[in-house]
């Protein structure tokens, strides 16, 4: 029975690398958009508002995405729906230019979710392929009621 396994991780495919770039890019886009929106482009109050602090939770997963941690991709795909909801509500309730910025936020959220979901799926698929196919499954004995030899 061959139990040799390599200790090196599976090489990243181009699609995994692309989803990583999309995830990091859309997360950075959400951070920049949130700051620019609430401080410069269309703040709730002239001169900016404290609502710019809404981007702080988005800064937490940035390190995990850059370190390519699978767990971070999973929970970011859940966190992003809070920002999607805000964007959807403000797209219909804010006046221009706030509603256009909200539509950009919705687009970035959908991109981030899709990239994270695909990234996790592709990495799990690649990990399953990396399992050594030379390992043979154990077969049960021919008869299950055999008497032990004396």
């Amino acid at each position: 029975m061959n139990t040799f396994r390599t200790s090196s991780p599976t090489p990243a495919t181009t699609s995994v690398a692309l989803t990583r770039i999309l995830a990091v890019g859309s997360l950075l886009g959400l951070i920049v958009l949130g700051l620019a929106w609430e401080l410069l482009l269309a703040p709730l109050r002239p001169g900016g508002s404290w609502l710019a602090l809404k981007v702080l939770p988005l800064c937490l997963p940035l390190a995990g995405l850059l370190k390519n941690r699978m767990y971070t991709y999973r929970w970011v795909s859940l966190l992003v729906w809070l920002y999607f909801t805000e964007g959807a509500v403000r797209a219909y309730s804010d006046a221009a230019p706030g509603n256009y910025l909200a539509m950009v936020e919705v687009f970035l959220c959908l991109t981030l979710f899709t990239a994270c979901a695909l990234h996790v799926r592709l990495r799990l698929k690649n990990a399953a392929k990396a399992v050594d196919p030379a390992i043979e499954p154990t077969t049960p004995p021919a008869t299950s009621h055999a008497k032990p030899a004396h």
Side-chain angles (χ1 to χ4, degrees):
M1 179 162 77
N2 184 1
T3 58
F4 176 76
R5 291 187 185 188
T6 58
S7 61
S8 63
T10 59
T13 62
T14 55
S15 54
V16 172
L18 178 64
T19 56
R20 182 176 184 217
I21 291 168
L22 279 173
V24 172
S26 56
L27 182 65
L28 286 172
L30 279 171
I31 293 170
V32 169
L33 175 69
L35 288 174
W37 184 355
E38 301 302 338
L39 295 176
L40 303 170
L41 301 175
L44 291 178
R45 295 189 179 112
S49 70
W50 284 96
L51 199 54
L53 294 176
K54 71 182 178 185
V55 301
L56 285 179
L58 291 173
C59 296
L60 296 174
L62 188 58
L65 291 184
L66 291 174
K67 291 178 182 178
N68 209 18
R69 293 188 175 152
M70 179 79 83
Y71 184 73
T72 306
Y73 283 92
R74 289 179 174 169
W75 68 264
V76 166
S77 66
L78 300 174
L79 173 72
V80 73
W81 291 112
L82 295 172
Y83 295 90
F84 173 85
T85 304
E86 182 216 10
V89 168
R90 291 183 75 176
Y92 289 103
S93 64
D94 281 7
N99 61 344
Y100 299 122
L101 296 171
M103 288 180 211
V104 172
E105 181 179 31
V106 166
F107 173 76
L108 288 171
C109 288
L110 290 174
T111 303
L112 179 58
F113 174 78
T114 304
C116 286
L118 283 174
H119 186 85
V120 169
R121 184 177 207 167
L122 291 170
R123 279 183 58 187
L124 290 176
K125 185 178 176 182
N126 288 345
K129 284 182 183 178
V131 173
D132 191 6
I135 297 176
E136 297 176 18
T138 58
T139 57
T143 59
S144 61
H145 301 290
K147 293 181 182 179
H150 292 294

